Amino acid sequence: MSLLLVASLPVMVIATVRYGTKLLGFCRNLLTQAMNLTQGTVSVNKTHAFVFSNCTHGQADSVLETFHLYNNTYPSLCIGQVKGDFLDEVVSRVAPRVVLELGMHCGYSSVRILRLLGPAGRLLTVEKDPETADKGEEIILVAGFKHLQFQVLACVSAEAIAGLRTHLSDGQGLDLVLMDHSVEQYLPDLLALERSGALLPGCVLLVNHILGPEGRPFLEHVQAQPQRYTQRRQLEGMMELTWNGPSELH
Ligand SMILES: *[C@@H]1O[C@H](CO)[C@@H](O)[C@H](O)[C@H]1NC(C)=O
Ligand SMILES: *[C@@H]1O[C@H](CO)[C@@H](O)[C@H](O)[C@H]1NC(C)=O
Ligand SMILES: *[C@@H]1O[C@H](CO)[C@@H](O)[C@H](O)[C@H]1NC(C)=O
Ligand SMILES: *[C@@H]1O[C@H](CO)[C@@H](O)[C@H](O)[C@H]1NC(C)=O
């Protein structure tokens, strides 16, 4: 009996060490997740408060300058000036009728896009966190844009894409899609967009943070179909692609 106990002692020790570490790791993971979440909201709230109270209301350029000012002191979730210039260049060149933005965050890129749209241009912007969506929408309104020009969809991207048709009039489709949400969602969302038929031939896709390992499935999908997708420029992990239309070969 005691021999059995002695024999099983190493097993028990190993089990304790193993599961103890696992449990510890699990707890630590939960904690960082909670911290990440709070920090995200805090940063959105702080960015919003700073921009809202320090910009000149009704002036989009002042809103953008105030975002930059804030970012000089605190890092924020915005795409920033360099990628912002890239985005500006694409929006000006494509002159889109309808833009879909996945991942609105604080509304920085939404304001950048809206200020360059023509009179008939419209932005559909998607934000899964309802509090962030409210804050972002307020910033867009503060920048002087009207609800005729934009619509905020406070839901996950998959849901927004599934309901896309209700936001487009007959024959209307997407001319520009900006993906700046969860990189793991890029491929499933692209597949859903392909199926939806909402992508117009020549539609430009701008995808952010694409060079990390999470972006690989998306890039593999795109690179496997050179007749459907043309890869254009890449800048600091933001890539421009063109959707050439559904291929007849498939
Ligand atoms: C917390 O955020 C960091 C960086 O933003 C990320 O690398 C990490 O995976 C996140 N951790 C969890 C548990 O979500
Ligand atoms: C952010 O602001 C909203 C209200 O605008 C509030 O409900 C929420 O608690 C705030 N979040 C944090 C983490 O301060
Ligand atoms: C507005 O800007 C000033 C000066 O940069 C800063 O001290 C203040 O905290 C800002 N307001 C808010 C609400 O963040
Ligand atoms: C914020 O600052 C970081 C580094 O300081 C920079 O990479 C980023 O582009 C800036 N974002 C904005 C909105 O200016």
Side-chain angles (χ1 to χ4, degrees):
M1 179 68 193
S2 68
L3 201 70
L4 203 72
L5 217 112
V6 170
S8 66
L9 205 60
V11 176
M12 279 158 64
V13 168
I14 287 171
T16 314
V17 169
R18 246 223 191 134
Y19 293 108
T21 313
K22 256 197 185 155
L23 199 69
L24 207 73
F26 180 71
C27 290
R28 199 182 302 131
N29 218 17
L30 270 186
L31 198 71
T32 31
Q33 245 173 41
M35 268 169 59
N36 277 3
L37 222 70
T38 340
Q39 273 169 3
T41 335
V42 168
S43 131
V44 166
N45 282 7
K46 280 193 180 153
T47 312
H48 173 272
F50 186 96
V51 174
F52 187 86
S53 54
N54 280 308
C55 72
T56 306
H57 287 209
Q59 290 185 17
D61 286 340
S62 165
V63 168
L64 295 179
E65 276 162 26
T66 313
F67 266 109
H68 298 154
L69 206 63
Y70 180 78
N71 187 58
N72 289 343
T73 327
Y74 312 95
S76 62
L77 301 168
C78 307
I79 60 165
Q81 190 70 280
V82 176
K83 288 181 188 175
D85 287 341
F86 184 6
L87 174 63
D88 283 2
E89 190 276 311
V90 170
V91 176
S92 302
R93 173 163 38 88
V94 175
R97 281 287 305 271
V98 186
V99 182
L100 175 67
E101 177 184 39
L102 302 176
M104 172 175 70
H105 311 297
C106 296
Y108 174 81
S109 43
S110 314
V111 170
R112 277 199 95 119
I113 293 168
L114 277 162
R115 84 197 205 289
L116 296 174
L117 290 186
R122 213 153 51 87
L123 171 73
L124 299 172
T125 181
V126 179
E127 174 53 54
K128 71 174 176 193
D129 178 61
E131 256 175 34
T132 305
D134 279 350
K135 299 258 143 102
E137 181 161 17
E138 197 169 26
I139 290 295
I140 296 175
L141 290 167
V142 158
F145 299 106
K146 305 277 181 283
H147 277 120
L148 280 171
Q149 297 162 284
F150 75 93
Q151 195 159 2
V152 176
L153 309 176
C155 60
V156 295
S157 50
E159 197 180 313
I161 294 166
L164 211 49
R165 277 281 149 219
T166 62
H167 301 289
L168 300 169
S169 42
D170 285 341
Q172 217 172 34
L174 302 172
D175 304 294
L176 176 62
V177 177
L178 172 63
M179 290 192 179
D180 188 23
H181 54 319
S182 314
V183 182
E184 315 83 63
Q185 268 315 114
Y186 286 11
L187 180 57
D189 286 348
L190 182 64
L191 295 173
L193 283 168
E194 285 180 5
R195 284 193 301 270
S196 75
L199 297 175
L200 294 176
C203 176
V204 170
L205 308 169
L206 259 187
V207 292
N208 200 13
H209 304 301
I210 198 61
L211 297 185
E214 300 88 5
R216 211 168 290 144
F218 177 95
L219 282 183
E220 279 169 4
H221 173 75
V222 159
Q223 285 162 355
Q225 308 180 78
Q227 71 281 22
R228 294 170 120 195
Y229 292 99
T230 308
Q231 215 165 305
R232 309 260 176 214
R233 287 186 301 161
Q234 187 273 120
L235 180 74
E236 292 186 356
M238 188 185 256
M239 186 180 284
E240 178 187 350
L241 307 139
T242 310
W243 161 254
N244 301 319
S247 152
E248 302 304 321
L249 299 172
H250 285 261

